[in-house]
Amino acid sequence: MAERTIDRRIARTRATLQHALISLIPKKGYEAITVEDICDVANVGRSTFYAHCTGKDDLKRRGLDEHLRALLSARQKEALAAQGDGRARSLAFSLLLFEHARDHLELYRALAGGRGGEVSLGSIREILSDLVRAELAVTAAKNLPGAAPREFVVQYVVGAYMAVLTWWLDRGAKPPPAEVDRMFRRLATDGILAHLVEGS
Amino acid sequence: MAERTIDRRIARTRATLQHALISLIPKKGYEAITVEDICDVANVGRSTFYAHCTGKDDLKRRGLDEHLRALLSARQKEALAAQGDGRARSLAFSLLLFEHARDHLELYRALAGGRGGEVSLGSIREILSDLVRAELAVTAAKNLPGAAPREFVVQYVVGAYMAVLTWWLDRGAKPPPAEVDRMFRRLATDGILAHLVEGS
Amino acid sequence: MAERTIDRRIARTRATLQHALISLIPKKGYEAITVEDICDVANVGRSTFYAHCTGKDDLKRRGLDEHLRALLSARQKEALAAQGDGRARSLAFSLLLFEHARDHLELYRALAGGRGGEVSLGSIREILSDLVRAELAVTAAKNLPGAAPREFVVQYVVGAYMAVLTWWLDRGAKPPPAEVDRMFRRLATDGILAHLVEGS
Amino acid sequence: MAERTIDRRIARTRATLQHALISLIPKKGYEAITVEDICDVANVGRSTFYAHCTGKDDLKRRGLDEHLRALLSARQKEALAAQGDGRARSLAFSLLLFEHARDHLELYRALAGGRGGEVSLGSIREILSDLVRAELAVTAAKNLPGAAPREFVVQYVVGAYMAVLTWWLDRGAKPPPAEVDRMFRRLATDGILAHLVEGS
DNA sequence: TCCTAAGCGAGACGGTACGTCTTGTCTTCCA
DNA sequence: TGGAAGACAAGACGTACCGTCTCGCTTAGGA
């Protein structure tokens, strides 16, 4: 069979599975979903499911990965390119992702909320780490003696961001993205002491 | 039967179960452990297990959490009480937990490492949140207008700490606790900008 | 737990499974029955099923085996004991089994009919072989030179009997057992030539 | 494409499938063979397989049965035609099949041996039944009163033959076909009593 | 001292999800 | 246009855990 035709069929099945998973998450919660549930919704046999991924987690990861990595890496390039003032433009992904999360609120809340939240966000975490790592490589000219290793800072920033994002989503994403973004970047760049004594 | 004797028996069984779980974690990883495994190691019948807790997670929570909460909250009080200078003493739990993690490296790495890491650390996260929340209640006199909500800061700090802790453990906890603690608190209090431009 | 109590519980479950299988055979035919069907009828979990037998065939065999071997070996002893005239009493099992089959017609037709018939009858075949072998050991004084080996005769007789029994059951067991028994033993003892030329 | 060419192609594919099945039987046993196995060996797509037959059993039947039926019915006709003395020539298929089985020992043992033996031999049984039925129609002039129905005798003879054949094959087909044939026909025509008291 | 109620081990059980396997259908392309 | 390739839906399989349960055994107070 022609490769392209097959590829298209496969891609369509894969997409159906992704969509089935996403549509189920709000109904039952990620943890409670079974492979059979997904197959039923997607009108797909169990064997087909396992022909495409090794399990529920794998399916989720593949979907999220492709989605996010495409989104972020594309727009991140612009941000990095347009970067003049290190302070103003640093952590460029932040606003981008807050906005994206608000636009796809259902999906994000489903992924991040409740028990399996942290697991689900593993992929986002990795992607963000890549971005922050790249950004720091530009921003921080050299690895100063006595300073924390660059990877340490990466983990610090990404960990903080993920926690804040999750919390914001769990509360309904009520403050507008721009404001959350401002708060996060202020804490990240200036530290909590500055925040505590002066306010914004 | 006398209540006290019974209580003692019960406590002993409970402790045996806790110990069985902890001893299994390094061997198979938390996720892979089954209730039967625990019962086998503890020489306990399934029914007894379920007489004491509702499942694996419950057992873990009761054990680890009580343990940690006792450890941290006790010493945290001293820290809070002795707190004169907000800068020097803030985030008092940090060094304490780094040290504790290094002392029980096997256990922590088992909990934090690999796949289910974030899930397992959920309890620690909650405990830390409580601590930071309490600390901020003292440190930050009022909720300044324009500043981030206090809970936002809590999530930020705890998220960053957990990420850094996990990363440190995954790397083998090589830098000494005191140094990691210093790096973390520097980033947290003064922000990454200070870190980037000046060094320590 | 006391052995007897457990044994009783186990025996009851086993019996329930046997009964479920037997009750299903007339409805769907042996081949079409799934393990899940049996479990549903028996109100038993899959795991319990597999704790008692290795599969559908095994369940069937265990049931049939116990049942028949008990029936035949008990009554066969009497027959052998009372045996005076080799001609009149030979192949003593024949009438016994024809009658038993008619009394439990549903069961036998279910087992013997259709596709899996021969498979199902494997156990009966073995049991009968044992009986005939024992009978020949008494009847045939010595292994005459030029004659067929005794085991050959055993296979011959049992094969013929099984075929005749199956055929009779498939036709509804209409001729009375006594008559079928007479026909079979006549053919077996005197051969088909005698049958063809003289009649009974 | 010319019809004949197509027909030839079809026939060739069919033959390839047959051959694939036969070659697999000794390796895995009939029951364990899957359609995919056959397709792999035959270098044929699944769709092609199902274009030629409805399943594994169908393929076996078409192959083995045609083969045997051709072999037996051709030579059987001669036997029936040349039949003068009912005793000497009766059960003419017997020697023929014993010889054929010995010549294709591997195949027959695969079919007859072990578990699924009787199932696989179902086809042979049917063919033999047809032959014996035909022979009896000639030999036994009329349905004598009191005698067993003709079909009863057919089942009796075929059952006995199949059992003896299987037993012989399972033992390695050691006695030469002629001898087994003699023993079988002696038992069949004269009965076991004659065998027991006089020998050959 | 015996009695009695609880904790406990043992493990059978009903259930549920898993990942694997085979079947038979269907679609697309190639020769 | 027949056949190869193989994706697919369907669904049975045997396994692994789960959480519930029933059963006796032990054991340490209160009678």
Side-chain angles (χ1 to χ4, degrees):
Chain A
M1 204 182 291
E3 276 184 21
R4 264 177 305 182
T5 308
I6 285 189
D7 283 2
R8 227 165 260 162
R9 253 219 272 179
I10 291 180
R12 207 162 54 81
T13 299
R14 227 186 273 273
T16 312
L17 287 172
Q18 301 281 7
H19 188 262
L21 175 57
I22 290 176
S23 79
L24 278 169
I25 289 180
K27 292 179 194 160
K28 317 185 53 172
Y30 177 75
E31 303 277 350
I33 296 174
T34 71
V35 172
E36 201 175 354
D37 291 334
I38 301 173
C39 292
D40 285 355
V41 170
N43 255 326
V44 147
R46 290 180 76 72
S47 34
T48 304
F49 179 94
Y50 284 107
H52 285 289
C53 49
T54 71
K56 201 172 47 159
D57 285 14
D58 186 51
L59 177 63
K60 189 195 59 198
R61 196 180 320 283
R62 282 167 190 268
L64 202 59
D65 243 64
E66 290 173 15
H67 190 193
L68 280 186
R69 201 170 288 274
L71 171 87
L72 287 177
S73 70
R75 316 255 310 250
Q76 183 76 5
K77 280 178 195 160
E78 312 168 12
L80 279 179
Q83 186 161 5
D85 168 16
R87 182 179 205 105
R89 305 283 184 179
S90 67
L91 306 176
F93 67 88
S94 166
L95 180 58
L96 205 58
L97 194 51
F98 277 126
E99 283 172 342
H100 189 257
R102 187 208 46 203
D103 294 344
H104 304 276
L105 191 55
E106 274 305 293
L107 171 61
Y108 274 75
R109 294 189 63 183
L111 286 175
R115 280 279 295 146
E118 288 95 353
V119 172
S120 297
L121 296 177
S123 324
I124 305 185
R125 186 181 295 266
E126 276 181 32
I127 300 171
L128 286 191
S129 299
D130 291 348
L131 294 181
V132 175
R133 206 172 288 119
E135 184 174 311
L136 284 186
V138 174
T139 311
K142 37 197 172 206
N143 217 337
L144 297 166
R150 187 162 299 158
E151 189 59 23
F152 186 95
V153 184
V154 170
Q155 295 298 325
Y156 173 92
V157 171
V158 173
Y161 184 81
M162 295 299 296
V164 159
L165 174 65
T166 302
W167 173 81
W168 180 63
L169 290 168
D170 277 349
R171 314 245 121 193
K174 276 191 307 194
E179 190 176 328
V180 198
D181 171 58
R182 191 180 48 75
M183 296 193 295
F184 167 71
R185 289 173 57 192
R186 178 110 158 82
L187 280 178
T189 52
D190 299 337
I192 61 173
L193 269 194
H195 174 270
L196 293 178
V197 288
E198 326 166 21
S200 167
Chain B
M1 205 183 292
E3 275 184 20
R4 265 179 303 182
T5 308
I6 287 186
D7 283 3
R8 230 166 258 162
R9 255 218 272 176
I10 291 180
R12 208 162 53 82
T13 300
R14 225 186 275 273
T16 313
L17 287 172
Q18 302 283 5
H19 188 263
L21 175 56
I22 290 176
S23 79
L24 279 169
I25 288 180
K27 291 178 195 161
K28 318 183 52 172
Y30 178 75
E31 304 277 349
I33 296 173
T34 72
V35 172
E36 202 176 353
D37 290 336
I38 301 173
C39 292
D40 286 355
V41 171
N43 253 324
V44 146
R46 295 179 69 72
S47 36
T48 305
F49 178 94
Y50 285 106
H52 286 289
C53 51
T54 71
K56 197 173 51 159
D57 284 15
D58 187 49
L59 178 63
K60 186 198 66 191
R61 199 177 326 281
R62 283 169 190 266
L64 187 60
D65 294 24
E66 282 173 20
H67 186 199
L68 281 184
R69 198 174 290 273
L71 171 85
L72 288 176
S73 70
R75 317 251 315 246
Q76 181 78 4
K77 279 178 198 160
E78 311 166 15
L80 280 179
Q83 186 159 9
D85 169 14
R87 182 179 206 104
R89 305 283 184 177
S90 68
L91 307 176
F93 67 86
S94 167
L95 179 57
L96 208 56
L97 194 50
F98 277 126
E99 284 171 342
H100 190 256
R102 186 208 45 202
D103 293 344
H104 304 276
L105 190 55
E106 274 306 293
L107 172 60
Y108 273 74
R109 293 189 66 183
L111 285 175
R115 279 280 298 139
E118 287 97 353
V119 172
S120 293
L121 294 178
S123 327
I124 305 184
R125 186 181 294 264
E126 277 179 32
I127 301 171
L128 287 191
S129 299
D130 291 347
L131 293 181
V132 175
R133 205 173 289 119
E135 182 173 312
L136 285 185
V138 174
T139 311
K142 36 196 174 212
N143 218 335
L144 296 167
R150 188 161 301 157
E151 189 59 25
F152 186 95
V153 183
V154 169
Q155 296 298 325
Y156 173 92
V157 170
V158 173
Y161 185 80
M162 295 300 295
V164 159
L165 174 64
T166 302
W167 173 81
W168 181 62
L169 290 168
D170 277 350
R171 315 245 122 193
K174 277 190 305 192
E179 188 176 327
V180 197
D181 170 60
R182 190 181 48 75
M183 295 193 297
F184 166 71
R185 288 172 58 193
R186 177 110 158 83
L187 280 178
T189 52
D190 299 337
I192 61 173
L193 270 194
H195 174 270
L196 293 178
V197 290
E198 320 167 26
S200 166
Chain C
M1 204 183 293
E3 276 183 22
R4 264 179 303 183
T5 308
I6 285 189
D7 284 2
R8 227 164 261 163
R9 251 218 276 179
I10 291 180
R12 206 161 55 81
T13 300
R14 229 186 272 273
T16 311
L17 286 172
Q18 302 281 5
H19 188 262
L21 174 56
I22 291 176
S23 78
L24 277 169
I25 290 179
K27 291 178 195 162
K28 316 184 53 171
Y30 178 76
E31 304 277 350
I33 297 173
T34 71
V35 172
E36 201 175 354
D37 290 335
I38 302 173
C39 292
D40 285 354
V41 171
N43 254 328
V44 147
R46 288 181 76 71
S47 34
T48 304
F49 178 94
Y50 285 107
H52 285 287
C53 49
T54 71
K56 205 172 43 162
D57 285 14
D58 186 51
L59 178 62
K60 190 196 56 200
R61 195 180 323 285
R62 280 167 191 268
L64 201 59
D65 242 63
E66 291 172 15
H67 190 193
L68 280 186
R69 199 169 289 274
L71 170 88
L72 286 177
S73 70
R75 317 257 306 253
Q76 182 76 5
K77 281 179 196 160
E78 313 168 13
L80 280 180
Q83 186 157 4
D85 170 12
R87 182 180 204 101
R89 305 282 183 178
S90 68
L91 307 177
F93 67 87
S94 167
L95 180 57
L96 205 58
L97 194 50
F98 277 127
E99 283 172 342
H100 190 256
R102 185 207 46 201
D103 294 343
H104 303 276
L105 191 55
E106 273 306 292
L107 171 61
Y108 274 74
R109 294 190 63 185
L111 286 175
R115 281 278 295 144
E118 288 95 353
V119 173
S120 296
L121 296 178
S123 324
I124 305 185
R125 186 181 296 266
E126 276 181 32
I127 300 171
L128 286 192
S129 299
D130 290 347
L131 293 181
V132 175
R133 205 172 289 119
E135 183 173 312
L136 285 186
V138 174
T139 311
K142 38 199 173 204
N143 217 338
L144 296 166
R150 188 162 300 158
E151 190 57 25
F152 186 95
V153 184
V154 169
Q155 296 298 326
Y156 173 92
V157 170
V158 172
Y161 184 81
M162 295 300 295
V164 159
L165 173 65
T166 302
W167 173 81
W168 180 61
L169 290 168
D170 277 350
R171 315 245 123 194
K174 276 191 306 192
E179 191 175 326
V180 198
D181 171 59
R182 190 181 47 76
M183 296 193 296
F184 166 71
R185 288 172 58 193
R186 178 108 159 84
L187 280 179
T189 51
D190 299 337
I192 61 173
L193 270 193
H195 175 271
L196 292 178
V197 290
E198 323 167 22
S200 164
Chain D
M1 207 181 291
E3 274 185 23
R4 264 179 302 183
T5 308
I6 288 185
D7 283 1
R8 228 166 260 165
R9 254 219 274 180
I10 292 180
R12 206 161 55 82
T13 301
R14 226 186 276 273
T16 312
L17 288 172
Q18 303 282 6
H19 188 263
L21 174 57
I22 291 177
S23 78
L24 279 170
I25 289 180
K27 292 178 194 162
K28 317 184 49 172
Y30 178 75
E31 305 276 350
I33 296 173
T34 71
V35 172
E36 202 175 352
D37 290 335
I38 302 174
C39 292
D40 285 355
V41 171
N43 253 326
V44 146
R46 298 179 67 70
S47 35
T48 307
F49 178 94
Y50 285 106
H52 285 291
C53 51
T54 73
K56 196 172 53 161
D57 285 13
D58 186 52
L59 179 63
K60 185 198 65 190
R61 196 175 328 281
R62 283 168 190 264
L64 187 59
D65 296 21
E66 282 174 18
H67 186 198
L68 281 183
R69 197 173 290 273
L71 171 86
L72 288 175
S73 71
R75 319 249 317 243
Q76 182 78 2
K77 280 180 195 159
E78 311 168 13
L80 280 179
Q83 187 160 7
D85 170 11
R87 183 179 204 103
R89 306 282 183 175
S90 68
L91 307 176
F93 67 86
S94 167
L95 180 57
L96 207 55
L97 194 50
F98 276 126
E99 284 171 341
H100 190 257
R102 186 208 45 201
D103 294 344
H104 304 276
L105 190 55
E106 273 307 292
L107 172 61
Y108 273 74
R109 293 189 66 183
L111 284 175
R115 280 279 297 140
E118 288 96 353
V119 173
S120 292
L121 294 178
S123 324
I124 305 185
R125 186 180 294 265
E126 277 181 31
I127 300 171
L128 286 191
S129 299
D130 291 348
L131 293 181
V132 175
R133 206 173 288 117
E135 182 174 314
L136 284 186
V138 174
T139 311
K142 37 198 171 205
N143 217 337
L144 295 166
R150 187 162 302 157
E151 188 60 22
F152 185 95
V153 184
V154 169
Q155 296 298 326
Y156 173 92
V157 170
V158 173
Y161 184 81
M162 295 300 295
V164 159
L165 173 65
T166 302
W167 174 81
W168 180 63
L169 290 168
D170 277 350
R171 315 246 122 192
K174 276 192 305 193
E179 190 175 328
V180 197
D181 171 60
R182 190 181 49 74
M183 296 193 295
F184 166 71
R185 289 174 57 192
R186 177 109 159 83
L187 279 179
T189 51
D190 299 337
I192 61 173
L193 269 194
H195 174 270
L196 294 178
V197 291
E198 324 167 22
S200 167

